[in-house]
Amino acid sequence: MQDNLRRDPFPLKTYKHIGERGPRRLDGYHKASGRADYTMDVQLPGMLYMRFLNSPFPHAKIKTMDTREAETFPGVRYVLRYDNPELPERASMGKLTGIYGDPPPLSGIAHFEGEPMGAAVVAVSEEIAEDALELIRVEWEERPFNLDVLTAMEKGAPLSYPEMYPDSNYWNNGLFDEMTQGNVKKGFKQSEKIIEFEFNRRSHTWIGPERPCGVFRWKGDVAEVWVKQQRPHLVKKNLSTWYGGVPMNKIQLHCLYQGASFGGWVQVPWNMGPLYCAGFVSKKTGRPVKYTFTRREDFYGESMDEGVYRFKVGFNMDGTILAVECSSICANQIFPVFNAVNHIRESTRVPHLYGKIFSIWINKGPAVPTRCEQLPATLSLTAVFSRVAAECGLDPVEVALKNDGFEGHGKDRFEKEKKGLGFPAIDSLKECVEKGKAAIDWDDKWHRPGTKTLPNGRMHGMGFTWTNEWDDSLGSAEIAIRIERNDGTASILSMGCDNGVEAENTYCMIAADELGLRLEDVSYNPQLDPGFFRMSPDSSTNLSVNGWAIRHASRILKQRILEAAVAPTAKTQRGSMRPAFPDCKPEDLDIVDSVIVKKADPSEGISVADFVREAGQSGPVTSTESGGFRWAFTEPLFAFSYHVQMGSYNPENPRPHLTRQAHFLEVEVDTDTGEIFVVKTVNVNDVGKAINPMSCEGQQYGGTIMGLSRGKFEEMIYDPVTGVMLNGNLLDYKIATTLDVEGPIDTILVESGMGYGPYGSVGIGEDVGTVMTGLLGPAVFNAIGVWIDDHPITPEKVLKALGKI
Amino acid sequence: MADHEIKPSICPYCKKEFDSIDAMKQHVFKAHRGSDPPSPEGDIRLNINGNDYYLSVEPRWTLYDVIHDRLGLTGSKQFCDRGACGSCTVIMDGKAVLSCMILAIECDGKAIETVEGIAEKNHPLIESYVKHHAMQCGYCTPGFVTTSKALLDRNIHPTENEIKEELSGNLCRCGTYPQHTIAVLETAEKLRTGKADGAEKAQGDG
Amino acid sequence: MEPKKHKETDDMKNFIHYNAYSIEEAVMLLARYGKNACVISGGTDLLGKMKDRVLPTYPEALINIKTIPGLNAIEEKTGKLSIGALATLTQVAEHETVRSNCAALAQAAGRTASPHLRNMGTIAGNICQDIRCWYYRAPKNRFSCLRKGGGRCYAIKGDNRFHSIFGGSVKGGCVAVHPSDTAPALIALDADIITSKRTIKAEEFFNVGVLHTTTVLEDNEIVTAIEVPTQNSVTKSAFIKFALRKSIDFPIVNCAAAITRDGETVTAARICLNAVSVVPKRVKPAEDRLVGETINEKHVGEAGAAAVSDAEPLEKNAYMVELAKAIVKRTILACGDTEGG
């Protein structure tokens, strides 16, 4: 099945586990007890440790490098230099590596301070490798550098990547580099009012708790690797092209529990290059090699929204928005980025849009999807809508409802579209905002900006934003399910990364309901490599792909079980045994709570466990029990399926986003210190169908905390003179603690059924974290009556906005 | 390698040239190593989760290095390695402390409890954590469990605020903070009423 | 480039570790090593610096003083409270007498860092900790700045958003800040620092010349106790910390005050800011403004303004002046509350 474009035509009639709260997490005990293994925990006999040289400069080339002292340092086993003639000039590091194409696995030129490059030292311990790194003496050719997109755009600015981009720092690479809908000139002419403003988002990064690392071991010509990676299939694919070619069937891949990356790791050389080097040295030394990055080295990239956004918005004073023009000047977009007006296009009736992205190279790390690549688009929608509401003196919720729609079409057409696709025509936004408003007492609490001072002296503010709920994953999933011998339990087979969103439970719940098994009889270990992959990471809302594949495989398997139940068993050339259910057809049977039953009389049945019988060398046909089917040999019960999807990534034929999300925030601002207190958050997400509600809530909590953390504190700070990163540690780069989201977070799920995923589901993984990142702005505006369009919103910026400095 | 760059097979100490890097290295080990200063090591005994371990440690090894890398107790994690995140928390002398900021050589004779020990005892905290999904990627979870356990060892009547304060040194990037409070409150209730289902009740001193 | 001798590089990263079992032994070891040894108590500042290889040289030896018995007791003595150098911040924050009589100190200790670090960090370590500046503390000695014997202060022309608002410690710069939370409280409470050699007033304990000294301690001198005079019943103290996050963070600005009143009128005030300068700064102009007045919005507002009247903000930290004003105000107001010690 491909690209489901309509409502799920064949959902289940009843759900047992799907929608249930609180299934026992498959990974829960491992993680709570410290027994979960991560790549960083891997230790193999004789293992060596690899550490990389880091560039002390933001833009520099190695002129000479003396590694002799490092070579002879006690405990060092190998020093890999970038100019080693056996290293290839280019190696496949992953598709979509942007400017790098296929880069060298170890570069001699650094493009940002702290970039791992030049040399790698391999030693018997990490400490020794680090000590030896300090003995490497490099003569650098320092080059001029850029830290800021605006100055890098100017004529005469130094080149940030002269080898790749000798003409300018501008790169036109986006999927939706330029997006046009209607005619903005016309729209502005029709508008009662036009405003222009600018929004600035400073760079922030993923902060994955488990530091980047990997282990490579050769067993003869078999390559065995452990990787911290969100996309293990990429590892296998790229690895198969290295070292003159390694057959796919000679690669043993381990993708253990993942200590989160939120993107970050996606498809960049610093992910695969070290693995290449580790494999290279492992071959030379005959020992397993583990490479690790320090916490400082994990700051090697950023999210995709760093930049300046310039808006021109035309609207009527009743809140109808007619035209939006946006030029976004964003840094280092090595991944094709969605246009900043994309969410306005997808979710509203605004007829005239024009968005242009300028992707500008500067000497910081690459900008990669970091919960997520839709940040520019959601920040823009929030900025535009909240400004228009303020200018019109209107409640922002009303402005949202007024402009809700899709691709320039209004509510009527939207409803028609929903019905045409077989969905119920539910006004998702209306339902979301009504629930959200009730939860936060919006109607009582919202007020005109800057008009409410509390008894405690602080100014009170209410913020709101919204957009579509998305899950348009581009990719494929292959899933197999096997019924185990002896006890009839089901194993889902497909490799993917488990970074904690509890996807595996969700897939088990689908399989259990589809197969008719008890939930405790279904299990899924995504760390096993059966040779095929599900879409990964699930935090990128891959349920819309994987869910289908699980379902297809389950339905095929169920049919297979029922067919086997009515067929003769133990069939050989000499004869066969009676079926388990003689005189029945498959459609007469069902599976309920792991028992195959007759529909006509569910008390008559045989458990799946008994049906599949034993496995083993002594063979299943060993029983001396008398009586028919208990002698039987059932065929192996196994099925596989797959799903392919292009979703919205196909600009020719996008799927309209039908469901919505709405988020509300209540804040207090201390006008003497500029401090912002988050009093209450309400998240409302229309997920179509909440297959695993607790997993959805986890994304709401997690997304809120990350979003507010980004809004309040997160910024990568560079010394303007030397380009050195100043806060590359977890003390100076601040992520929220448990005390920093002061008030409660209310999580509400709406289930309109208007999703393209199985059972009408829509994803949630990226959504809340991305949208919440911009919500502090409107909330603070409502409190103090002044816009702060430079995020993060620190106390300093509040004080400045209040005119106190 | 640039033309003017020094050949890698020339000894960096006496400038003698060799045919290969390997030959040069062998020369260095013979001619220049001589009497290396001995690695300053200390012998210590650690009592971890009730078991004694006798070790020879370098002074610079942290308690985390020893527990995680040398003893294979990989439950404690290293998120920041600078005392700013709580993921490496162990319980020592009844207090939640950061193993990455403690020198192992200073722990001679100490009794230490790690997340593995807490799980081995079937402390009800573990089940509460599982039940309330107080984890996502799980990397910070052991640090929260040990910190919470140290809190409950001292106080089985914690308020919600007290729990948040006590856990305020534990960073979670996945944003699971709300679930931790629920899990700890439930565990405190279990400990107070003695209703640790099917599991041994935790002792006051861990 | 001449490669360093093998032996020299070998000694750089490892060190010799000593457990001292008496003050005399610690002092003797320090005398032997001079500037090449460090005392380690909680280790939460020192180990971070060593891991990052912040300084151009690495200590040859660490002298553990946690093994010296009797240095962690908190005891009431006549006219004072004696707090052992090795009392942890948790101990100090939770001690009944500290909370009731020296509220500012209990609050300061209780808001330092995080619960874990308070379990590990000692009060003496907290006041002896090194300054904060992200140029100084950049890993691998990336900026060989004034404080390390180098040529200049990088923060002056760099990103100085968290740096001193009261100028530099030496000519040409060092606009780092002292990050301790307990230090201003001890100054406000007029505490004495007892060392192995002498008694030093808390206010005179800090010295930030170049080459990584933050106190007046000599190379072979250690803190053994801190004595806080028993506060009389008409004196109230309070501490407020402002940081970006509610836990873990160093202060951007903090303030401790001890205010004595006769009825409603302030008869004495000791107000100390920290994290705004290279040493804790007792703000006498604010104290002078307040003495003889009552604690009300007008007077504390003037005191707050007076506290920063001689501020010299840098390019990026003017907001800290506003913050300092506000925090001084609030700390004085907190001393005016009828409850608390």
Side-chain angles (χ1 to χ4, degrees):
Chain A
M1 206 171 157
Q2 295 179 348
D3 261 334
N4 185 42
L5 294 177
R6 298 174 55 80
R7 185 186 196 180
D8 178 2
F10 306 110
L12 287 170
K13 293 203 175 58
T14 54
Y15 300 106
K16 188 154 183 188
H17 299 294
I18 290 173
E20 193 178 49
R21 279 194 69 82
R24 189 173 170 72
R25 281 181 78 120
L26 289 169
D27 58 348
Y29 184 81
H30 298 160
K31 289 175 176 174
S33 66
R35 290 190 179 127
D37 282 330
Y38 298 78
T39 311
M40 191 53 95
D41 299 326
V42 171
Q43 291 183 33
L44 302 173
M47 191 170 79
L48 300 174
Y49 296 80
M50 171 180 256
R51 300 268 297 106
F52 287 82
L53 188 71
N54 298 154
S55 168
F57 302 109
H59 191 191
K61 182 175 173 172
I62 295 178
K63 277 190 350 204
T64 69
M65 184 166 75
D66 184 354
T67 48
R68 295 172 299 154
E69 279 183 80
E71 288 269 12
T72 54
F73 193 73
V76 170
R77 295 291 178 254
Y78 200 91
V79 176
L80 181 62
R81 295 171 56 105
Y82 73 99
D83 54 6
N84 184 319
E86 291 179 66
L87 280 180
E89 274 188 30
R90 299 250 169 274
S92 165
M93 298 291 165
K95 257 177 88 170
L96 303 173
T97 44
I99 63 165
Y100 298 96
D102 283 338
L106 193 57
S107 173
I109 304 176
H111 294 101
F112 56 93
E113 186 263 336
E115 181 174 354
M117 46 80 73
V121 173
V122 182
V124 294
S125 77
E126 267 191 271
E127 294 103 25
I128 291 175
E130 273 180 37
D131 289 347
L133 272 175
E134 305 239 326
L135 300 175
I136 297 179
R137 305 187 189 292
V138 182
E139 257 185 280
W140 296 93
E141 173 202 305
E142 284 180 60
R143 296 170 167 187
F145 59 91
N146 293 301
L147 291 179
D148 173 73
V149 291
L150 292 179
T151 49
M153 271 180 92
E154 285 167 12
K155 228 184 168 102
L159 293 170
S160 304
Y161 288 87
E163 276 80 15
M164 292 296 212
Y165 290 87
D167 298 322
S168 81
N169 292 318
Y170 166 59
W171 187 36
N172 177 346
N173 75 323
L175 258 188
F176 303 113
D177 219 58
E178 208 166 334
M179 183 176 275
T180 308
Q181 179 171 282
N183 181 330
V184 285
K185 279 204 174 76
K186 180 172 163 201
F188 288 132
K189 278 211 183 79
Q190 295 168 341
S191 305
E192 286 170 12
K193 189 164 183 185
I194 297 173
I195 56 171
E196 292 187 48
F197 65 97
E198 192 172 288
F199 177 98
N200 178 36
R201 169 70 237 188
R202 300 185 187 210
S203 69
H204 58 98
T205 182
W206 50 83
I207 312 289
E210 182 188 14
R211 295 172 282 125
C213 54
V215 185
F216 205 123
R217 171 165 74 177
W218 289 100
K219 295 195 297 207
D221 60 354
V222 171
E224 188 177 15
V225 296
W226 288 256
V227 283
K228 189 202 174 188
Q229 232 301 358
Q230 290 192 166
R231 302 194 179 192
H233 57 280
L234 270 192
V235 177
K236 220 173 171 179
K237 184 190 91 139
N238 292 320
L239 207 166
S240 71
T241 66
W242 296 347
Y243 318 122
V246 182
M248 288 284 284
N249 61 5
K250 294 246 167 100
I251 300 174
Q252 283 180 13
L253 179 59
H254 302 281
C255 191
L256 304 179
Y257 284 111
Q258 298 291 310
S261 303
F262 308 99
W265 253 147
V266 176
Q267 300 157 328
V268 292
W270 300 274
N271 173 356
M272 300 296 276
L275 191 66
Y276 187 107
C277 295
F280 182 94
V281 176
S282 180
K283 196 143 233 173
K284 293 285 179 194
T285 57
R287 307 260 290 265
V289 174
K290 179 182 196 174
Y291 79 86
T292 62
F293 277 18
T294 61
R295 173 50 50 195
R296 169 63 187 90
E297 286 166 315
D298 188 52
F299 282 87
Y300 63 76
E302 57 183 78
S303 75
M304 298 186 73
D305 54 346
E306 177 189 358
V308 177
Y309 302 71
R310 296 181 171 144
F311 296 95
K312 184 173 173 184
V313 186
F315 54 97
N316 290 339
M317 294 308 289
D318 70 348
T320 317
I321 303 174
L322 295 173
V324 177
E325 188 176 79
C326 173
S327 71
S328 51
I329 304 156
C330 292
N332 292 3
Q333 310 282 298
I334 77 164
F335 182 88
V337 69
F338 290 110
N339 197 287
V341 301
N342 196 41
H343 271 239
I344 302 177
R345 182 190 69 82
E346 287 173 338
S347 325
T348 78
R349 54 182 274 209
V350 177
H352 307 289
L353 298 173
Y354 177 71
K356 172 98 181 113
I357 301 169
F358 296 85
S359 175
I360 306 295
W361 300 118
I362 57 176
N363 295 105
K364 294 182 185 174
V368 290
T370 304
R371 205 178 192 177
C372 73
E373 69 281 359
Q374 310 210 29
L375 274 167
T378 56
L379 287 172
S380 298
L381 188 148
T382 298
V384 166
F385 270 74
S386 49
R387 282 269 189 176
V388 167
E391 292 288 327
C392 299
L394 293 172
D395 181 333
V397 175
E398 296 309 313
V399 176
L401 288 166
K402 189 159 268 178
N403 291 282
D404 188 21
F406 81 109
E407 293 162 30
H409 305 296
K411 286 227 169 79
D412 291 340
R413 176 81 168 76
F414 202 11
E415 218 177 81
K416 227 171 135 189
E417 184 79 11
K418 290 171 186 173
K419 285 187 182 142
L421 296 172
F423 290 104
I426 292 170
D427 188 339
S428 175
L429 182 61
K430 184 150 175 266
E431 195 167 333
C432 287
V433 302
E434 274 172 8
K435 290 202 155 104
K437 276 170 58 167
I440 205 168
D441 290 330
W442 179 266
D443 287 333
D444 280 338
K445 288 188 172 168
W446 183 76
H447 50 75
R448 294 292 169 98
T451 58
K452 184 164 173 186
T453 308
L454 296 165
N456 62 14
R458 298 177 188 166
M459 300 212 68
H460 176 267
M462 299 290 285
F464 162 78
T465 192
W466 70 288
T467 186
N468 64 68
E469 185 83 5
W470 71 85
D471 68 355
D472 272 309
S473 317
L474 162 70
S476 61
E478 303 159 290
I479 301 283
I481 310 181
R482 175 179 72 214
I483 302 293
E484 304 283 350
R485 295 283 186 196
N486 299 328
D487 63 3
T489 52
S491 296
I492 299 175
L493 300 168
S494 184
M495 182 177 247
C497 98
D498 174 359
N499 59 8
V501 301
E502 214 194 321
E504 291 73 26
N505 259 58
T506 308
Y507 300 139
C508 289
M509 290 156 93
I510 294 175
D513 273 9
E514 291 285 346
L515 287 167
L517 298 178
R518 299 175 308 176
L519 184 58
E520 59 261 41
D521 290 333
V522 185
S523 194
Y524 181 5
N525 180 356
Q527 298 182 14
L528 298 175
D529 179 9
F532 40 86
F533 298 89
R534 72 164 196 245
M535 202 167 165
S536 190
D538 286 84
S539 38
S540 278
T541 64
N542 298 148
L543 171 65
S544 65
V545 180
N546 296 325
W548 282 119
I550 296 274
R551 172 159 131 178
H552 303 326
S554 301
R555 290 190 178 183
I556 294 169
L557 181 59
K558 185 174 181 184
Q559 184 62 20
R560 202 153 273 172
I561 296 170
L562 298 182
E563 283 170 2
V566 306
T569 63
K571 213 162 171 198
T572 69
Q573 290 171 334
R574 293 175 61 189
S576 65
M577 308 283 187
R578 292 178 64 210
F581 288 86
D583 310 317
C584 279
K585 298 202 221 52
E587 52 266 34
D588 299 330
L589 302 177
D590 198 1
I591 307 175
V592 178
D593 287 341
S594 301
V595 181
I596 307 170
V597 295
K598 284 186 184 169
K599 281 182 186 163
D601 183 3
S603 66
E604 230 186 283
I606 173 174
S607 71
V608 175
D610 283 343
F611 179 60
V612 298
R613 304 287 288 162
E614 303 104 43
Q617 197 179 29
S618 51
V621 191
T622 56
S623 172
T624 53
E625 288 176 56
S626 58
F629 63 82
R630 291 193 182 277
W631 287 51
F633 170 82
T634 53
E635 63 187 58
L637 293 169
F638 171 91
F640 78 91
S641 191
Y642 64 92
H643 185 79
V644 180
Q645 183 162 289
M646 287 195 76
S648 273
Y649 286 78
N650 175 2
E652 307 287 311
N653 186 16
R655 306 190 300 188
H657 294 277
L658 307 177
T659 65
R660 296 289 179 259
Q661 52 180 311
H663 305 283
F664 298 79
L665 196 60
E666 183 177 1
V667 300
E668 292 177 9
V669 178
D670 183 328
T671 51
D672 284 334
T673 62
E675 198 174 356
I676 303 166
F677 298 87
V678 176
V679 173
K680 185 162 179 169
T681 312
V682 173
N683 305 120
V684 190
N685 292 77
D686 182 354
V687 293
K689 170 89 188 151
I691 297 174
N692 184 344
M694 280 182 85
S695 167
C696 297
E697 280 164 14
Q699 294 308 300
Q700 290 173 308
Y701 289 132
T704 290
I705 289 165
M706 184 182 272
L708 293 175
S709 176
R710 289 165 163 177
K712 272 188 166 187
F713 315 120
E714 294 189 37
E715 181 186 351
M716 293 161 85
I717 299 169
Y718 294 80
D719 174 41
V721 175
T722 59
V724 170
M725 196 190 174
L726 296 174
N727 65 343
N729 62 72
L730 289 195
L731 193 51
D732 297 318
Y733 183 97
K734 300 170 188 299
I735 68 175
T737 69
T738 188
L739 294 178
D740 291 311
V741 180
E742 292 87 354
I745 303 171
D746 276 9
T747 57
I748 300 172
L749 296 173
V750 170
E751 297 183 86
S752 67
M754 295 194 298
Y756 300 98
Y759 323 110
S761 62
V762 185
I764 187 173
E766 299 175 336
D767 300 33
V768 182
T770 307
V771 180
M772 286 299 293
T773 303
L775 184 49
L776 206 59
V780 170
F781 170 75
N782 186 256
I784 63 175
V786 183
W787 287 107
I788 298 173
D789 279 326
D790 180 5
H791 286 210
I793 304 183
T794 55
E796 176 191 1
K797 292 177 194 167
V798 175
L799 290 174
K800 206 164 175 191
L802 291 169
K804 299 211 165 172
I805 46 168
Chain B
M1 203 172 74
D3 283 338
H4 59 281
E5 203 159 338
I6 301 163
K7 274 182 79 170
S9 56
I10 296 176
C11 172
Y13 304 106
C14 68
K15 312 279 191 288
K16 204 170 161 196
E17 187 166 345
F18 294 84
D19 289 335
S20 68
I21 293 179
D22 281 336
M24 183 270 285
K25 278 160 96 160
Q26 279 178 38
H27 151 80
V28 166
F29 297 148
K30 274 203 209 102
H32 298 289
R33 288 286 298 282
S35 51
D36 282 330
S39 241
E41 283 182 348
D43 293 333
I44 60 171
R45 174 182 68 88
L46 297 176
N47 182 280
I48 304 179
N49 301 326
N51 298 315
D52 277 338
Y53 295 84
Y54 295 87
L55 302 154
S56 228
V57 298
E58 283 184 33
R60 64 176 164 175
W61 292 354
T62 62
L63 186 60
Y64 169 85
D65 291 337
V66 167
I67 289 175
H68 184 276
D69 294 342
R70 270 99 194 167
L71 298 180
L73 290 162
T74 55
S76 307
K77 302 294 186 220
Q78 198 177 62
F79 182 170
C80 78
D81 193 21
R82 292 296 185 273
C85 77
S87 292
C88 66
T89 304
V90 298
I91 302 177
M92 194 163 79
D93 293 338
K95 297 181 281 185
V97 293
L98 305 172
S99 60
C100 80
M101 297 298 275
I102 295 175
L103 295 175
I105 205 169
E106 294 182 355
C107 298
D108 187 20
K110 296 278 190 185
I112 293 159
E113 192 173 5
T114 70
V115 65
E116 287 91 345
I118 296 170
E120 272 158 32
K121 284 211 218 58
N122 282 325
H123 193 287
L125 200 48
I126 307 283
E127 263 314 299
S128 291
Y129 262 65
V130 177
K131 177 176 160 194
H132 293 290
H133 293 221
M135 73 281 292
Q136 284 189 31
C137 84
Y139 212 68
C140 70
T141 315
F144 274 93
V145 168
T146 42
T147 309
S148 302
K149 202 252 176 192
L151 166 64
L152 292 171
D153 283 348
R154 285 191 340 258
N155 175 12
I156 56 170
H157 298 86
T159 63
E160 200 177 310
N161 269 344
E162 282 170 341
I163 294 169
K164 283 183 171 173
E165 286 278 351
E166 201 66 19
L167 296 179
S168 66
N170 292 78
L171 291 181
C172 172
R173 189 47 162 166
C174 300
T176 58
Y177 299 130
Q179 290 100 312
H180 291 278
T181 313
I182 298 170
V184 177
L185 280 171
E186 185 189 84
T187 311
E189 164 79 28
K190 279 187 195 165
L191 291 172
R192 286 195 299 268
T193 58
K195 284 189 189 130
D197 304 336
E200 291 165 42
K201 282 175 245 171
Q203 300 307 304
D205 65 352
Chain C
M1 282 176 276
E2 270 300 324
K4 285 213 177 68
K5 287 216 175 51
H6 185 72
K7 210 163 111 162
E8 283 170 28
T9 54
D10 220 2
D11 289 346
M12 251 176 72
K13 304 305 170 232
N14 226 330
F15 52 84
I16 301 171
H17 184 273
Y18 294 97
N19 289 327
Y21 294 98
S22 68
I23 297 171
E24 292 72 26
E25 189 180 354
V27 165
M28 183 264 299
L29 287 165
L30 283 169
R32 183 199 295 178
Y33 280 94
K35 289 194 174 11
N36 297 323
C38 287
V39 158
I40 179 167
S41 57
T44 55
D45 187 31
L46 179 63
L47 291 187
K49 276 167 68 179
M50 285 166 69
K51 287 186 192 203
D52 278 331
R53 303 182 183 187
V54 162
L55 298 173
T57 58
Y58 207 75
E60 275 180 49
L62 292 195
I63 297 151
N64 178 19
I65 56 171
K66 294 187 286 295
T67 33
I68 302 176
L71 286 189
N72 63 353
I74 302 180
E75 290 170 316
E76 284 183 62
K77 296 189 169 158
T78 319
K80 60 192 168 188
L81 186 67
S82 173
I83 304 173
L86 296 181
T88 65
L89 294 162
T90 303
Q91 271 179 272
V92 172
E94 292 180 352
H95 193 274
E96 217 186 289
T97 312
V98 179
R99 289 162 74 94
S100 59
N101 194 252
C102 330
L105 180 59
Q107 290 159 13
R111 282 259 63 92
T112 297
S114 70
H116 308 85
L117 291 166
R118 295 195 283 273
N119 288 340
M120 299 155 70
T122 63
I123 182 123
N126 191 259
I127 60 173
C128 292
Q129 71 181 295
D130 205 350
I131 51 86
R132 287 270 144 191
C133 161
W134 47 30
Y135 292 94
Y136 175 74
R137 287 188 180 252
K140 298 183 194 164
N141 191 21
R142 180 67 177 75
F143 297 99
S144 186
C145 68
L146 267 183
R147 282 188 66 73
K148 302 182 202 178
R152 63 186 177 100
C153 168
Y154 291 85
I156 298 268
K157 288 219 166 72
D159 195 313
N160 45 42
R161 68 181 77 184
F162 295 129
H163 288 68
S164 170
I165 55 171
F166 289 105
S169 64
V170 292
K171 195 166 177 204
C174 192
V175 289
V177 293
H178 200 287
S180 166
D181 286 311
T182 59
L186 292 172
I187 291 171
L189 294 166
D190 199 16
D192 286 322
I193 315 296
I194 317 298
T195 79
S196 48
K197 275 192 177 153
R198 51 188 164 146
T199 299
I200 311 170
K201 281 250 157 267
E203 208 172 330
E204 288 151 17
F205 184 68
F206 300 94
N207 166 37
V208 275
V210 293
L211 295 175
H212 54 92
T213 56
T214 53
T215 70
V216 299
L217 291 173
E218 290 164 16
D219 288 344
N220 64 344
E221 185 180 7
I222 65 169
V223 175
T224 57
I226 294 170
E227 289 178 351
V228 184
T230 309
Q231 307 293 304
N232 62 38
S233 58
V234 292
T235 301
K236 300 268 184 292
S237 67
F239 169 86
I240 294 185
K241 171 176 179 173
F242 186 89
L244 283 180
R245 293 186 300 179
K246 301 267 178 329
S247 184
I248 306 176
D249 278 2
F250 284 102
I252 297 182
V253 175
N254 65 21
C255 179
I259 312 273
T260 309
R261 288 191 289 174
D262 178 10
E264 292 295 314
T265 310
V266 174
T267 52
R270 294 176 65 91
I271 307 173
C272 187
L273 282 170
N274 203 10
V276 291
S277 173
V278 287
V279 289
K281 186 171 168 81
R282 196 164 150 206
V283 283
K284 287 215 162 65
E287 296 172 2
D288 294 340
R289 191 64 206 81
L290 200 59
V291 169
E293 307 282 9
T294 57
I295 296 182
N296 63 23
E297 280 288 334
K298 175 173 183 290
H299 296 139
V300 300
E302 288 167 4
V308 296
S309 53
D310 58 336
E312 300 167 25
L314 303 166
E315 192 194 326
K316 290 195 153 79
N317 67 6
Y319 76 99
M320 283 173 64
V321 178
E322 273 306 303
L323 284 180
K325 225 193 300 183
I327 299 299
V328 165
K329 261 178 61 176
R330 290 181 181 183
T331 313
I332 300 169
L333 284 170
C335 293
D337 292 346
T338 45
E339 286 157 31

